Each structure stands twice: as C-alpha cells, then as structure tokens.
C-alpha cells in the first residue's frame, strides 16, 4: 500500500495529476478541490489510496486528510467505487458533503454525476452516523470565495489551458460571493466555452 507520494507536480489534467518522484511519474486521479490548490512544478505531498482489482491498479490522491478520510468512507458504501467517490468530492467541498449527509438531502447528493436518487439515499443512510455532527462543521478557508480572492481560481483556469484574458473576463462577469471554488470554476468553464463558441 502506498500511503503518500512526495514530489514535483509534472502535469495537471482535468481530473488527475502526474507527480514526479525520483524520476518516476505517478498518475494519480484526484478531485477538483485538490487540483485547484496545485500548480505544475509545485512540490507537494499527496495522500494516496491504491485501488487494486483483477484488471486494474489505480492511485487516487488528495492534499488533505479530511478529503482522504471522506473518500474512504464513501467507497465503503455498496455500489460506490473510487470513481464515484471522486465524483462526489469533485462536486462539493468536504464540509458541504457532510452537511448534505447529516441533513439527509438526497436531492443535492443526486446532483453528483452518476449518482441517482437511490444511490444518494444509500450514501446518506450508511454514512450519516460516520461524518460527525452539524455543530462540528466549520467553514474552511477555501470553502467560499469573496470578490477579491480569485487569484487561485484564475491560476486554475489558466492551468487548464484557457487564455488568461478569457478566464479573467469569465470571472469578472460572475457573481462569486459565497460560492465554493469548485462551483465558480465550473460556472467559469461554461462561460468561457460559450465565448469560444
């Protein structure tokens, strides 16, 4: 089992990173939240989970222990594999996921790509006693974004291959107050795509 990998971020994709460790490149599937905090050439320690099946060996990784712990809980749910767990973590921040589970909000959970209402209800049923309490949830420093705090998001959009002017114009045209970084990036991607078309 590989618990973590330290090295340089050699490449960022839409849902993965390649980290160079001793001249070996490790392909690690990850969430939007972790991707948004990393830049190519950064040195980082990525916490990893190795998924082994008869036909595949895959690494999933995260910057924070909170994301890793929640990922491991999600994949204990029958019918939720690592890719579905990653989809949940790429749709919502960790505290939002816990809040959705604790409030038994199957509608919001079912907005995750690939998660239907039945599976959403199953996630809530199986994890509501395992994610803490509503009182214990605190808003993380990257949970919501103010109008002046967009540099990381702009960098994330540029690292995905978009022109800096297009990315800035997309952000300037949006109301970002109180939204998570993930939500802002998704909305910005839609806006940029419309501009290109």
């Amino acid at each position: 089992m590989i618990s973590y990998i330290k090295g340089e971020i050699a490449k960022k994709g839409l849902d993965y990173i390649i980290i160079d460790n001793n001249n070996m490149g490790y392909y690690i599937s990850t969430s939007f939240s972790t991707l948004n905090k990393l830049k190519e050439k950064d040195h980082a320690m990525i916490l990893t989970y190795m998924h082994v099946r008869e036909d595949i060996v895959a690494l999933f990784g995260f910057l924070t222990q909170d994301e890793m712990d929640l990922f491991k809980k999600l994949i204990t749910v029958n019918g939720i594999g690592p890719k579905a767990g990653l989809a949940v973590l790429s749709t919502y921040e960790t505290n939002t996921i816990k809040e959705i589970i604790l409030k038994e909000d199957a509608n919001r959970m079912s907005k995750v790509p690939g998660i239907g209402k039945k599976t959403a209800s199953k996630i809530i049923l199986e994890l509501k006693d395992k994610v803490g309490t509503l009182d214990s949830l605190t808003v993380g420093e990257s949970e919501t974004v103010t109008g002046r705090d967009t540099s990381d998001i702009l960098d994330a959009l540029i690292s995905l291959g978009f022109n800096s002017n297009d990315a800035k114009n997309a952000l300037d045209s949006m109301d970002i107050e109180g939204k998570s970084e993930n939500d802002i990036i998704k909305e910005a991607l839609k806006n940029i795509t419309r501009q290109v078309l």
Side-chain angles (χ1 to χ4, degrees), residues 14 41 59 96 99 116 156 158 184 191:
L14 289 173
K41 306 300 181 185
L59 280 174
T96 304
E99 181 186 348
I158 292 169
I184 293 168
N191 290 345

Side-chain angles (χ1 to χ4, degrees), residues 126-144:
E126 294 191 25
L127 297 186
K128 65 181 179 181
D129 295 327
K130 300 177 183 178
V131 295
T133 63
L134 283 172
D135 291 340
S136 69
L137 297 182
T138 56
V139 177
E141 59 184 44
S142 63
E143 193 78 8
T144 59

Side-chain angles (χ1 to χ4, degrees), residues 99-114:
E99 181 186 348
I100 288 169
I101 291 169
L102 291 167
K103 290 184 175 179
E104 301 184 24
D105 192 344
N107 284 330
R108 286 180 76 193
M109 184 62 77
S110 65
K111 289 181 181 177
V112 175

Side-chain angles (χ1 to χ4, degrees), residues 18-180:
I18 295 176
I19 189 167
D20 184 326
N21 174 278
N22 290 328
N23 297 317
M24 288 185 66
Y26 293 87
Y27 183 105
I28 302 174
S29 297
T30 190
S31 67
F32 278 146
S33 181
T34 286
L35 276 169
N36 293 344
K37 295 180 178 75
L38 295 171
K39 298 175 185 174
E40 290 185 3
K41 306 300 181 185
D42 277 356
H43 282 265
M45 183 177 84
I46 306 297
L47 304 172
T48 55
Y49 171 83
M50 182 183 285
H51 180 62
V52 181
R53 283 194 337 215
E54 290 179 8
D55 56 341
I56 192 168
V57 176
L59 280 174
F60 296 82
F62 309 95
L63 267 176
T64 68
Q65 191 64 53
D66 196 29
E67 264 201 300
M68 174 59 79
D69 290 344
L70 190 51
F71 176 76
K72 287 181 176 178
K73 287 183 175 80
L74 285 164
I75 63 176
T76 64
V77 178
N78 188 30
I80 298 294
K83 286 189 176 180
L86 204 59
V88 176
L89 287 164
S90 288
T91 303
Y92 299 112
E93 298 284 348
T94 54
N95 278 351
T96 304
I97 296 166
K98 293 174 186 177
E99 181 186 348
I100 288 169
I101 291 169
L102 291 167
K103 290 184 175 179
E104 301 184 24
D105 192 344
N107 284 330
R108 286 180 76 193
M109 184 62 77
S110 65
K111 289 181 181 177
V112 175
I115 302 291
K117 285 241 177 125
K118 186 177 179 182
T119 305
S121 297
K122 187 186 294 185
I123 292 170
I124 289 166
L125 179 66
E126 294 191 25
L127 297 186
K128 65 181 179 181
D129 295 327
K130 300 177 183 178
V131 295
T133 63
L134 283 172
D135 291 340
S136 69
L137 297 182
T138 56
V139 177
E141 59 184 44
S142 63
E143 193 78 8
T144 59
V145 179
T146 65
R148 295 187 300 253
D149 186 22
T150 59
S151 58
D152 287 346
I153 296 170
L154 188 60
D155 288 341
L157 291 168
I158 292 169
S159 73
L160 291 172
F162 292 103
N163 177 287
S164 59
N165 286 333
D166 289 343
K168 189 173 187 310
N169 288 338
L171 287 176
D172 288 345
S173 68
M174 291 166 52
D175 177 13
I176 64 171
E177 288 293 331
K179 294 180 181 177
S180 72

